[in-house]
Amino acid sequence: VVCRMLEYQFAIQAGRASSFGFGSGSGPIWFGYQNCLGSERSIADCSIYTPSLYVRYYHYSHYYDAGVVCYTEEIKARLVGGSQPNEGRVELYYNNAWGSVCSSSWDIREANVIC
């Protein structure tokens, strides 16, 4: 959603900002927790818990600042190993190589993006 807001095509990585080497922020924490479906146009359209309540109960700090790597080039996708052309394991062509997509929470929402 954030990448869409910034006019990139999609995100290729997301997690804590410090885990990517982006550092931690300072000052106010505007959103303590977001729950996006992925189709929203703006993060303001996601379910948001306000920091005044969320930070108090869950002890959020800048340690949890959000980080993302957005991407604008087209990534090619293919399905491999199925018995029909419309089924199989998802592979993406990225950084000059084909590779698998791994996720412990892969579901119909992500599948619809690929299809």
Side-chain angles (χ1 to χ4, degrees):
V1 174
V2 169
C3 290
R4 186 176 303 118
M5 286 177 61
L6 296 170
E7 298 183 6
Y8 291 98
Q9 288 178 311
F10 47 85
I12 57 172
Q13 291 182 321
R16 282 192 0 257
S18 59
S19 68
F20 295 110
F22 302 150
S24 296
S26 61
I29 297 173
W30 294 116
F31 300 120
Y33 176 75
Q34 296 75 234
N35 186 18
C36 301
L37 298 174
S39 58
E40 296 87 354
R41 288 272 180 218
S42 168
I43 199 163
D45 298 330
C46 300
S47 298
I48 297 172
Y49 298 90
T50 59
S52 60
L53 297 174
Y54 202 76
V55 172
R56 183 173 51 212
Y57 293 112
Y58 294 97
H59 309 291
Y60 263 61
S61 68
H62 288 290
Y63 175 81
Y64 296 101
D65 285 350
V68 66
V69 177
C70 298
Y71 200 71
T72 56
E73 279 188 39
E74 182 179 339
I75 292 181
K76 296 176 187 174
R78 69 182 182 186
L79 300 175
V80 178
S83 60
Q84 303 292 322
N86 65 331
E87 63 184 25
R89 184 182 70 255
V90 177
E91 289 189 347
L92 301 179
Y93 190 77
Y94 171 71
N95 210 17
N96 297 318
W98 286 100
S100 296
V101 174
C102 296
S103 173
S104 62
S105 61
W106 181 267
D107 65 21
I108 194 69
R109 293 174 294 187
E110 290 86 2
N112 278 322
V113 172
I114 294 295
C115 292

